[in-house]
Amino acid sequence: MPDRRGRGLSGPNGADFSLKREVEDLQALIATTGASQIFGLSSGALVVLRTDLVTPALDRVALYEPPLSIGGSVPLDPVREMADTVST
């Protein structure tokens, strides 16, 4: 399981931290390990979903408790801001 930027022992996020950077980190890990199946938990599930859209090497993804809003139960402004930093 990767130690995402700003979590655990990975050190600070850095000035250029974004969803795009997290996708690039995960793609580098996929390329290094040859993984074709990945799992995402909570906010990591959103990173996995975005990575799956732009990474042909992935065959399967599994998600657990992605932070999704149902009927406005969760404010989506931070998610929209994060998505705006990534070009398709």
Coordinates of all heavy atoms in Angstrom, one line a residue:
M1 N 0.8 -1.2 0.0 CA 0.0 0.0 0.0 C 0.9 1.2 0.0 O 1.8 1.3 0.8 CB -0.9 0.0 1.2 CG -2.1 0.8 1.0 SD -3.6 0.1 1.9 CE -3.5 1.0 3.4
P2 N 0.7 2.1 -0.9 CA 1.5 3.3 -1.0 C 1.3 4.3 0.2 O 0.2 4.4 0.7 CB 1.1 4.0 -2.3 CG -0.2 3.5 -2.6 CD -0.3 2.1 -2.0
D3 N 2.3 5.0 0.5 CA 2.3 6.0 1.6 C 2.1 7.3 0.8 O 3.1 7.9 0.4 CB 3.6 5.9 2.3 CG 3.5 6.7 3.7 OD1 2.4 7.2 4.0 OD2 4.5 6.8 4.4
R4 N 0.9 7.7 0.7 CA 0.6 8.9 -0.1 C 1.2 10.2 0.4 O 1.5 10.3 1.6 CB -0.9 9.1 -0.2 CG -1.6 8.0 -1.1 CD -3.1 8.1 -1.0 NE -3.7 9.4 -1.3 CZ -4.8 9.8 -0.9 NH1 -5.6 9.0 -0.1 NH2 -5.3 11.0 -1.2
R5 N 1.5 11.1 -0.4 CA 2.1 12.4 0.0 C 1.3 13.0 1.1 O 0.1 13.0 1.1 CB 2.1 13.4 -1.2 CG 3.0 13.0 -2.3 CD 2.9 14.0 -3.4 NE 3.6 13.5 -4.6 CZ 4.7 14.1 -5.1 NH1 5.1 15.2 -4.6 NH2 5.2 13.7 -6.2
G6 N 2.0 13.5 2.2 CA 1.4 14.1 3.3 C 0.8 13.2 4.3 O 0.2 13.6 5.3
R7 N 1.1 11.9 4.2 CA 0.5 10.9 5.1 C 1.7 10.0 5.5 O 2.6 9.8 4.8 CB -0.6 10.1 4.4 CG -1.8 10.9 4.1 CD -2.7 10.2 3.1 NE -4.0 10.8 2.9 CZ -4.1 11.9 2.1 NH1 -3.2 12.4 1.5 NH2 -5.3 12.4 2.0
G8 N 1.5 9.5 6.7 CA 2.5 8.5 7.2 C 3.9 9.1 7.2 O 4.1 10.2 7.7
L9 N 4.8 8.3 6.6 CA 6.2 8.7 6.6 C 6.7 9.4 5.3 O 7.8 9.6 5.1 CB 7.1 7.5 6.9 CG 6.9 6.7 8.2 CD1 7.7 5.4 8.2 CD2 7.2 7.6 9.4
S10 N 5.7 9.7 4.5 CA 6.0 10.3 3.1 C 6.5 11.7 3.1 O 7.0 12.2 2.1 CB 4.8 10.1 2.2 OG 3.8 11.0 2.6
G11 N 6.4 12.4 4.2 CA 6.8 13.8 4.2 C 5.6 14.7 3.8 O 4.5 14.3 3.5
P12 N 5.9 16.0 3.7 CA 4.9 17.0 3.3 C 4.4 16.8 1.9 O 5.1 16.3 1.0 CB 5.5 18.3 3.5 CG 7.0 18.1 3.4 CD 7.2 16.6 3.9
N13 N 3.2 17.3 1.6 CA 2.6 17.3 0.3 C 3.4 17.9 -0.8 O 3.5 17.5 -1.9 CB 1.2 17.9 0.3 CG 0.2 17.2 1.1 OD1 0.3 16.0 1.3 ND2 -0.8 17.8 1.5
G14 N 4.0 19.1 -0.4 CA 4.8 19.9 -1.4 C 3.9 20.9 -2.0 O 2.7 20.9 -2.0
A15 N 4.5 21.9 -2.7 CA 3.8 23.1 -3.2 C 2.9 22.7 -4.4 O 1.9 23.4 -4.7 CB 4.8 24.2 -3.6
D16 N 3.3 21.7 -5.1 CA 2.6 21.3 -6.4 C 1.6 20.2 -6.1 O 1.3 19.5 -7.1 CB 3.5 21.0 -7.5 CG 4.5 19.9 -7.2 OD1 4.5 19.4 -6.0 OD2 5.1 19.4 -8.1
F17 N 1.2 20.0 -4.9 CA 0.3 18.9 -4.6 C -1.1 19.1 -5.2 O -1.7 20.1 -5.2 CB 0.1 18.8 -3.1 CG -0.8 17.6 -2.6 CD1 -0.4 16.3 -2.8 CD2 -2.0 17.9 -2.1 CE1 -1.2 15.3 -2.4 CE2 -2.9 16.9 -1.8 CZ -2.4 15.5 -1.9
S18 N -1.6 18.0 -5.9 CA -2.9 18.0 -6.5 C -3.3 16.6 -6.8 O -2.5 15.7 -6.7 CB -2.8 18.8 -7.8 OG -2.0 18.2 -8.8
L19 N -4.5 16.5 -7.3 CA -5.0 15.2 -7.7 C -4.1 14.7 -8.9 O -3.8 13.5 -8.9 CB -6.5 15.2 -8.1 CG -7.1 13.9 -8.6 CD1 -6.9 12.8 -7.6 CD2 -8.5 14.1 -9.0
K20 N -3.8 15.6 -9.8 CA -2.9 15.2 -10.9 C -1.6 14.6 -10.4 O -1.1 13.6 -10.9 CB -2.7 16.4 -11.8 CG -1.8 16.1 -13.0 CD -1.6 17.3 -13.8 CE -0.7 16.9 -15.0 NZ -0.4 18.1 -15.8
R21 N -1.0 15.2 -9.4 CA 0.3 14.7 -8.8 C 0.0 13.3 -8.2 O 0.9 12.4 -8.3 CB 0.8 15.7 -7.8 CG 2.1 15.3 -7.2 CD 3.3 15.3 -8.1 NE 3.3 16.5 -8.8 CZ 4.0 16.8 -9.8 NH1 4.9 16.0 -10.3 NH2 4.0 18.0 -10.4
E22 N -1.1 13.1 -7.5 CA -1.4 11.8 -6.9 C -1.5 10.8 -7.9 O -1.1 9.6 -7.8 CB -2.6 11.9 -6.0 CG -2.3 12.7 -4.7 CD -3.0 12.2 -3.5 OE1 -2.7 11.1 -3.1 OE2 -4.0 12.9 -3.1
V23 N -2.2 11.1 -9.0 CA -2.4 10.1 -10.1 C -1.0 9.8 -10.7 O -0.7 8.6 -11.0 CB -3.3 10.7 -11.2 CG1 -3.3 9.9 -12.5 CG2 -4.7 10.8 -10.7
E24 N -0.1 10.8 -10.9 CA 1.2 10.5 -11.4 C 2.0 9.6 -10.5 O 2.7 8.7 -10.9 CB 2.0 11.8 -11.6 CG 1.4 12.7 -12.8 CD 2.0 14.1 -12.8 OE1 2.7 14.5 -11.9 OE2 1.6 14.8 -13.8
D25 N 1.9 9.9 -9.2 CA 2.5 9.0 -8.2 C 2.1 7.6 -8.3 O 2.9 6.6 -8.3 CB 2.3 9.5 -6.8 CG 3.0 10.8 -6.4 OD1 3.9 11.2 -7.2 OD2 2.6 11.4 -5.4
L26 N 0.7 7.4 -8.4 CA 0.2 6.0 -8.5 C 0.6 5.4 -9.8 O 0.9 4.2 -9.9 CB -1.3 6.1 -8.3 CG -2.1 4.7 -8.2 CD1 -1.4 3.8 -7.2 CD2 -3.5 5.0 -7.9
Q27 N 0.6 6.1 -10.9 CA 1.0 5.6 -12.2 C 2.5 5.1 -12.1 O 2.8 4.1 -12.7 CB 0.9 6.6 -13.3 CG -0.6 6.8 -13.7 CD -0.7 7.9 -14.8 OE1 -0.1 8.9 -14.7 NE2 -1.6 7.6 -15.8
A28 N 3.3 5.9 -11.4 CA 4.7 5.5 -11.3 C 4.8 4.2 -10.5 O 5.6 3.3 -10.9 CB 5.5 6.6 -10.6
L29 N 4.0 4.0 -9.5 CA 4.0 2.8 -8.7 C 3.5 1.6 -9.5 O 4.1 0.5 -9.5 CB 3.1 3.0 -7.5 CG 3.1 1.9 -6.4 CD1 4.5 1.6 -5.9 CD2 2.2 2.2 -5.3
I30 N 2.5 1.9 -10.3 CA 2.0 0.8 -11.2 C 3.0 0.4 -12.2 O 3.2 -0.8 -12.5 CB 0.7 1.3 -11.9 CG1 -0.5 1.5 -10.9 CG2 0.3 0.4 -13.1 CD1 -1.6 2.2 -11.4
A31 N 3.7 1.4 -12.8 CA 4.7 1.1 -13.8 C 5.9 0.3 -13.2 O 6.4 -0.6 -13.8 CB 5.3 2.3 -14.4
T32 N 6.3 0.6 -12.0 CA 7.4 0.0 -11.3 C 7.1 -1.4 -10.9 O 7.9 -2.3 -11.0 CB 7.8 0.8 -10.0 OG1 8.2 2.1 -10.5 CG2 8.9 0.1 -9.3
T33 N 5.8 -1.6 -10.4 CA 5.5 -3.0 -9.9 C 4.8 -3.9 -10.9 O 4.7 -5.1 -10.7 CB 4.5 -2.8 -8.7 OG1 3.3 -2.2 -9.2 CG2 5.1 -2.0 -7.6
G34 N 4.3 -3.3 -12.0 CA 3.6 -4.1 -13.0 C 2.2 -4.4 -12.5 O 1.5 -5.3 -13.1
A35 N 1.7 -3.7 -11.5 CA 0.3 -4.0 -11.0 C -0.7 -3.7 -12.1 O -0.6 -2.8 -12.8 CB 0.1 -3.2 -9.8
S36 N -1.7 -4.6 -12.1 CA -2.9 -4.3 -13.0 C -4.2 -4.3 -12.3 O -5.2 -4.0 -12.8 CB -2.9 -5.4 -14.1 OG -3.2 -6.7 -13.5
Q37 N -4.1 -4.5 -11.0 CA -5.3 -4.4 -10.1 C -4.9 -3.6 -8.9 O -3.9 -3.8 -8.2 CB -5.7 -5.8 -9.6 CG -6.0 -6.7 -10.8 CD -6.3 -8.2 -10.3 OE1 -6.6 -8.4 -9.1 NE2 -6.3 -9.1 -11.2
I38 N -5.8 -2.5 -8.6 CA -5.5 -1.7 -7.5 C -6.7 -1.4 -6.6 O -7.8 -1.6 -7.1 CB -4.9 -0.3 -7.9 CG1 -5.8 0.4 -8.9 CG2 -3.5 -0.5 -8.5 CD1 -5.3 1.8 -9.2
F39 N -6.5 -1.1 -5.4 CA -7.5 -0.8 -4.4 C -7.4 0.6 -3.8 O -6.3 1.0 -3.6 CB -7.4 -1.9 -3.2 CG -8.2 -1.6 -2.1 CD1 -9.6 -2.0 -2.1 CD2 -7.8 -1.0 -0.9 CE1 -10.4 -1.8 -1.0 CE2 -8.6 -0.8 0.2 CZ -9.9 -1.1 0.1
G40 N -8.5 1.2 -3.6 CA -8.5 2.6 -3.1 C -9.5 2.7 -1.9 O -10.6 2.2 -2.0
L41 N -9.1 3.3 -0.8 CA -9.9 3.4 0.4 C -10.1 4.9 0.7 O -9.2 5.7 0.6 CB -9.1 2.8 1.6 CG -9.6 3.1 3.0 CD1 -11.0 2.5 3.2 CD2 -8.7 2.6 4.0
S42 N -11.3 5.3 0.9 CA -11.7 6.7 1.2 C -11.3 7.6 0.2 O -11.6 7.4 -1.0 CB -11.2 7.0 2.6 OG -11.7 8.3 3.1
S43 N -10.5 8.7 0.5 CA -10.1 9.6 -0.5 C -9.2 8.9 -1.6 O -9.1 9.4 -2.7 CB -9.4 10.8 0.1 OG -8.2 10.4 0.8
G44 N -8.5 7.9 -1.1 CA -7.6 7.1 -2.1 C -8.5 6.5 -3.2 O -8.0 6.2 -4.3
A45 N -9.8 6.2 -2.9 CA -10.6 5.7 -3.9 C -10.9 6.6 -5.0 O -10.9 6.2 -6.2 CB -12.0 5.3 -3.3
L46 N -10.9 7.9 -4.7 CA -11.0 8.9 -5.8 C -9.8 9.0 -6.6 O -9.9 9.2 -7.8 CB -11.4 10.3 -5.2 CG -12.7 10.4 -4.4 CD1 -12.8 11.8 -3.8 CD2 -13.9 10.0 -5.2
V47 N -8.6 8.9 -6.0 CA -7.4 8.8 -6.7 C -7.3 7.6 -7.7 O -6.9 7.7 -8.8 CB -6.2 8.8 -5.8 CG1 -4.8 8.7 -6.5 CG2 -6.1 10.1 -4.9
V48 N -7.8 6.5 -7.2 CA -7.8 5.3 -8.0 C -8.8 5.4 -9.1 O -8.5 5.0 -10.3 CB -8.2 4.0 -7.1 CG1 -8.6 2.8 -8.0 CG2 -7.1 3.7 -6.2
L49 N -9.9 6.0 -8.9 CA -10.9 6.2 -10.0 C -10.3 7.1 -11.1 O -10.4 6.8 -12.3 CB -12.2 6.9 -9.5 CG -13.2 6.0 -8.8 CD1 -14.3 6.8 -8.1 CD2 -13.8 5.0 -9.8
R50 N -9.7 8.2 -10.7 CA -9.1 9.1 -11.7 C -7.9 8.4 -12.4 O -7.8 8.6 -13.6 CB -8.6 10.4 -11.0 CG -8.1 11.4 -11.9 CD -9.2 11.9 -12.8 NE -8.6 12.7 -13.8 CZ -9.1 12.9 -15.0 NH1 -10.2 12.3 -15.4 NH2 -8.5 13.7 -15.9
T51 N -7.1 7.6 -11.7 CA -6.0 6.9 -12.3 C -6.5 5.9 -13.3 O -5.9 5.8 -14.4 CB -5.2 6.2 -11.2 OG1 -4.7 7.2 -10.3 CG2 -4.0 5.5 -11.8
D52 N -7.6 5.2 -13.0 CA -8.1 4.2 -13.9 C -8.6 4.9 -15.2 O -8.4 4.2 -16.3 CB -9.3 3.5 -13.2 CG -9.9 2.4 -14.1 OD1 -9.0 1.6 -14.6 OD2 -11.1 2.3 -14.2
L53 N -9.0 6.1 -15.2 CA -9.5 6.8 -16.4 C -8.3 7.0 -17.4 O -8.5 7.1 -18.6 CB -10.1 8.1 -16.1 CG -11.5 8.0 -15.5 CD1 -11.9 9.4 -15.0 CD2 -12.5 7.4 -16.4
V54 N -7.1 7.1 -16.9 CA -5.9 7.5 -17.7 C -4.8 6.5 -17.7 O -3.7 6.8 -18.2 CB -5.4 8.9 -17.3 CG1 -6.4 10.0 -17.5 CG2 -4.9 8.9 -15.8
T55 N -5.1 5.3 -17.2 CA -4.0 4.3 -17.1 C -4.5 3.0 -17.8 O -5.2 2.2 -17.1 CB -3.6 4.0 -15.7 OG1 -3.4 5.3 -15.1 CG2 -2.4 3.2 -15.6
P56 N -4.2 2.7 -19.0 CA -4.6 1.5 -19.7 C -4.1 0.2 -19.1 O -4.7 -0.8 -19.3 CB -4.0 1.7 -21.2 CG -3.7 3.1 -21.3 CD -3.4 3.6 -19.9
A57 N -3.0 0.3 -18.4 CA -2.5 -0.9 -17.8 C -3.4 -1.6 -16.7 O -3.2 -2.7 -16.4 CB -1.1 -0.7 -17.2
L58 N -4.3 -0.8 -16.2 CA -5.2 -1.4 -15.2 C -6.3 -2.2 -15.7 O -7.0 -1.9 -16.7 CB -5.8 -0.2 -14.3 CG -4.8 0.6 -13.5 CD1 -5.5 1.8 -12.8 CD2 -4.1 -0.3 -12.5
D59 N -6.5 -3.4 -15.1 CA -7.5 -4.3 -15.5 C -8.7 -4.2 -14.6 O -9.9 -4.4 -15.0 CB -7.1 -5.8 -15.5 CG -6.0 -6.1 -16.5 OD1 -6.0 -5.5 -17.6 OD2 -5.1 -6.9 -16.2
R60 N -8.4 -4.0 -13.3 CA -9.5 -4.0 -12.3 C -9.2 -3.0 -11.2 O -8.0 -2.8 -10.8 CB -9.7 -5.3 -11.6 CG -10.2 -6.4 -12.5 CD -10.4 -7.7 -11.7 NE -10.8 -8.7 -12.6 CZ -11.2 -9.9 -12.2 NH1 -11.1 -10.2 -11.0 NH2 -11.6 -10.8 -13.1
V61 N -10.2 -2.4 -10.6 CA -10.0 -1.5 -9.5 C -11.1 -1.9 -8.4 O -12.2 -2.4 -8.8 CB -10.1 0.0 -9.8 CG1 -9.1 0.4 -10.8 CG2 -11.5 0.4 -10.3
A62 N -10.8 -1.8 -7.2 CA -11.7 -2.0 -6.1 C -11.7 -0.8 -5.2 O -10.6 -0.2 -5.0 CB -11.3 -3.2 -5.3
L63 N -12.9 -0.4 -4.8 CA -13.0 0.9 -4.0 C -13.8 0.5 -2.7 O -14.7 -0.3 -2.7 CB -13.8 1.9 -4.8 CG -13.4 2.2 -6.2 CD1 -14.3 3.1 -6.9 CD2 -12.0 2.8 -6.2
Y64 N -13.4 1.2 -1.6 CA -14.1 1.0 -0.4 C -14.3 2.4 0.2 O -13.3 3.2 0.4 CB -13.2 0.2 0.6 CG -14.0 -0.1 1.9 CD1 -15.0 -1.0 1.9 CD2 -13.6 0.5 3.1 CE1 -15.7 -1.3 3.1 CE2 -14.2 0.2 4.2 CZ -15.3 -0.7 4.2 OH -16.0 -1.0 5.4
E65 N -15.5 2.7 0.5 CA -15.9 4.0 1.1 C -15.4 5.2 0.5 O -14.8 6.1 1.1 CB -15.6 4.0 2.6 CG -16.4 3.0 3.4 CD -16.2 3.1 4.9 OE1 -15.2 3.7 5.4 OE2 -17.0 2.5 5.6
P66 N -15.6 5.4 -0.9 CA -15.2 6.6 -1.5 C -16.1 7.8 -0.9 O -17.3 7.5 -0.7 CB -15.5 6.4 -3.0 CG -16.4 5.3 -3.0 CD -16.2 4.5 -1.8
P67 N -15.5 8.9 -0.7 CA -16.3 10.0 -0.1 C -17.2 10.6 -1.2 O -16.9 11.6 -1.9 CB -15.3 11.0 0.3 CG -14.1 10.8 -0.5 CD -14.2 9.3 -0.9
L68 N -18.4 10.1 -1.3 CA -19.4 10.5 -2.3 C -20.6 11.1 -1.6 O -20.9 10.7 -0.5 CB -19.8 9.4 -3.2 CG -18.7 8.7 -4.0 CD1 -19.3 7.5 -4.7 CD2 -18.0 9.6 -4.9
S69 N -21.2 12.1 -2.2 CA -22.3 12.8 -1.6 C -23.6 12.2 -2.2 O -23.8 12.1 -3.4 CB -22.2 14.3 -1.9 OG -23.3 15.0 -1.3
I70 N -24.6 11.9 -1.3 CA -25.9 11.5 -1.7 C -26.9 12.5 -1.2 O -27.0 12.7 0.0 CB -26.2 10.1 -1.1 CG1 -25.2 9.1 -1.7 CG2 -27.6 9.7 -1.4 CD1 -25.3 7.7 -1.1
G71 N -27.6 13.2 -2.1 CA -28.6 14.2 -1.7 C -27.9 15.3 -0.9 O -28.6 15.9 0.0
G72 N -26.7 15.7 -1.2 CA -26.0 16.8 -0.6 C -25.5 16.5 0.8 O -25.2 17.5 1.6
S73 N -25.4 15.3 1.2 CA -24.9 14.9 2.5 C -23.5 15.3 2.8 O -23.1 15.5 4.0 CB -25.1 13.4 2.7 OG -24.3 12.7 1.8
V74 N -22.7 15.5 1.8 CA -21.3 15.9 1.9 C -21.1 17.0 1.0 O -21.4 17.0 -0.2 CB -20.4 14.7 1.5 CG1 -18.9 15.1 1.6 CG2 -20.6 13.5 2.4
P75 N -20.4 18.1 1.5 CA -20.1 19.3 0.7 C -19.1 18.8 -0.4 O -18.1 18.2 -0.1 CB -19.5 20.3 1.6 CG -19.8 19.8 3.0 CD -20.1 18.4 2.9
L76 N -19.4 19.2 -1.7 CA -18.6 18.7 -2.8 C -17.6 19.8 -3.3 O -16.9 19.5 -4.2 CB -19.5 18.2 -3.9 CG -20.3 17.0 -3.7 CD1 -21.1 16.6 -4.9 CD2 -19.3 15.8 -3.3
D77 N -17.6 21.0 -2.7 CA -16.7 22.0 -3.2 C -15.3 21.6 -3.2 O -14.6 21.8 -4.2 CB -16.9 23.3 -2.4 CG -18.3 24.0 -2.6 OD1 -18.9 23.7 -3.7 OD2 -18.7 24.8 -1.8
P78 N -14.8 21.0 -2.1 CA -13.3 20.5 -2.2 C -13.1 19.5 -3.3 O -12.0 19.5 -4.0 CB -13.1 19.9 -0.8 CG -14.1 20.5 0.0 CD -15.3 20.7 -0.8
V79 N -14.0 18.6 -3.6 CA -13.9 17.6 -4.6 C -13.9 18.3 -6.0 O -13.1 18.0 -6.9 CB -15.0 16.5 -4.6 CG1 -14.9 15.6 -5.7 CG2 -14.9 15.8 -3.2
R80 N -14.8 19.3 -6.2 CA -14.8 20.0 -7.5 C -13.5 20.8 -7.7 O -13.0 20.8 -8.8 CB -16.0 21.0 -7.5 CG -17.3 20.3 -7.6 CD -18.5 21.2 -7.8 NE -19.7 20.5 -7.8 CZ -20.6 20.6 -6.7 NH1 -20.3 21.2 -5.7 NH2 -21.7 19.9 -6.8
E81 N -13.0 21.4 -6.6 CA -11.8 22.1 -6.7 C -10.6 21.2 -7.1 O -9.8 21.5 -8.0 CB -11.4 22.8 -5.4 CG -12.3 24.0 -5.1 CD -12.1 24.6 -3.7 OE1 -11.1 24.3 -3.1 OE2 -13.0 25.3 -3.3
M82 N -10.6 20.0 -6.5 CA -9.6 19.0 -6.8 C -9.7 18.6 -8.3 O -8.7 18.5 -9.0 CB -9.7 17.8 -5.9 CG -8.5 16.9 -5.9 SD -8.5 15.7 -4.6 CE -10.0 14.8 -4.8
A83 N -10.9 18.3 -8.7 CA -11.2 17.9 -10.1 C -10.8 18.9 -11.1 O -10.3 18.6 -12.2 CB -12.6 17.5 -10.3
D84 N -11.0 20.2 -10.8 CA -10.6 21.3 -11.7 C -9.1 21.4 -11.9 O -8.7 21.9 -12.9 CB -11.1 22.6 -11.1 CG -12.6 22.7 -11.2 OD1 -13.3 22.0 -12.0 OD2 -13.2 23.6 -10.5
T85 N -8.3 20.8 -11.1 CA -6.9 20.9 -11.2 C -6.4 19.8 -12.2 O -5.2 19.8 -12.6 CB -6.1 20.7 -9.9 OG1 -6.4 19.4 -9.4 CG2 -6.6 21.7 -8.9
V86 N -7.2 18.9 -12.6 CA -6.8 17.8 -13.5 C -7.5 18.0 -14.8 O -8.7 18.1 -15.0 CB -7.3 16.4 -12.9 CG1 -6.9 15.3 -13.8 CG2 -6.7 16.2 -11.5
S87 N -6.7 17.9 -15.9 CA -7.2 18.0 -17.2 C -7.5 16.6 -17.7 O -6.8 15.6 -17.4 CB -6.3 18.7 -18.2 OG -5.1 18.0 -18.2
T88 N -8.5 16.4 -18.5 CA -8.9 15.0 -19.0 C -8.1 14.7 -20.2 O -7.6 15.5 -20.9 CB -10.4 14.9 -19.2 OG1 -10.8 16.0 -20.1 CG2 -11.1 14.9 -17.9

